[in-house]
Amino acid sequence: MRALPLLGLAAALLATSALAEPARYTMSAFTNASQSNMSVYDSADGTRFSLKKPLAYTPPKGLIRDPSVMKHTDGWYYVAYTTGWAGDTIGLARSKDLTDWTFLRDVKVEVPGATNSWAPEWFVDEDGSVSLILSVSTTGQQGQFQPYRITATDPSLANWSAPKPLAGLGPNFIDAFVVREGSLYQAFAKNETS
């Protein structure tokens, strides 16, 4: 096996990095004045954000609280969001450019007796599976929320698995965000009591 000369290796790395998309950070938000309008901000360094588009998306009905954005393998950006203070659905919309969004569907969360489905967060596992981690209550807004995971069963994100509670986190946790580091999954969640 022949080793690449250093110059050839450097040229190959430069060519590869020139083709790679530069890192961008996206933040989506709603305001106190309107929980039914989402604005989009972006940043090159993750510390200084600029408004990309105010009022970038308004769902056909309900709220857009807790918006979470992901860029999918199909090249589209997807936002998952809380559709209302009460109810058993979360909403999905998509955009090619983060500025013009199209409503896709409300996803029914099939937890028996669900009264509230809040704060969906995207999680893409190392096998490429796409999931949403969400907080579900069966006893209303003041009740005990529990984190659940639903997983897309097709690449179009049209169909989802049955919800499964996150193991190791019992009731009374909300707003869970999961990351994987090596072989460990770590959940960052808020305890509603403490």
Side-chain angles (χ1 to χ4, degrees):
M1 187 160 152
R2 191 176 134 234
L4 284 175
L6 185 56
L7 185 57
L9 179 58
L13 289 174
L14 284 173
T16 302
S17 65
L19 296 175
E21 217 175 283
R24 297 297 301 172
Y25 299 86
T26 300
M27 179 175 68
S28 54
F30 62 94
T31 67
N32 286 337
S34 176
Q35 299 173 31
S36 295
N37 296 305
M38 178 183 76
S39 295
V40 177
Y41 300 80
D42 84 339
S43 170
D45 62 10
T47 59
R48 292 180 302 264
F49 283 82
S50 300
L51 181 61
K52 191 164 180 76
K53 185 174 182 183
L55 309 177
Y57 176 64
T58 302
K61 65 181 185 336
L63 305 179
I64 182 160
R65 288 185 57 86
D66 313 312
S68 178
V69 176
M70 165 195 74
K71 187 170 186 182
H72 195 23
T73 55
D74 63 5
W76 288 80
Y77 295 94
Y78 289 80
V79 63
Y81 56 91
T82 300
T83 58
W85 283 102
D88 60 356
T89 62
I90 55 169
L92 294 178
R94 75 178 190 165
S95 171
K96 203 62 164 159
D97 58 9
L98 292 170
T99 58
D100 297 306
W101 292 85
T102 302
F103 172 76
L104 290 177
R105 67 190 59 83
D106 285 341
V107 176
K108 185 170 173 52
V109 178
E110 302 284 349
V111 172
T115 56
N116 302 82
S117 300
W118 290 357
E121 293 286 352
W122 295 106
F123 174 70
V124 180
D125 212 336
E126 70 179 7
D127 66 359
S129 61
V130 176
S131 296
L132 286 165
I133 310 298
L134 55 139
S135 302
V136 179
S137 172
T138 58
T139 57
Q141 289 181 38
Q142 304 307 315
Q144 293 206 351
F145 283 84
Q146 181 165 353
Y148 281 81
R149 177 182 183 172
I150 59 174
T151 302
T153 58
D154 61 75
S156 70
L157 309 180
N159 299 294
W160 295 84
S161 69
K164 295 180 180 135
L166 287 187
L169 285 177
N172 208 32
F173 286 91
I174 193 167
D175 300 337
F177 187 84
V178 174
V179 294
R180 182 174 177 149
E181 186 176 21
S183 62
L184 294 176
Y185 295 89
Q186 299 180 40
F188 297 86
K190 179 176 86 172
N191 181 298
E192 281 291 273
T193 304
S194 61

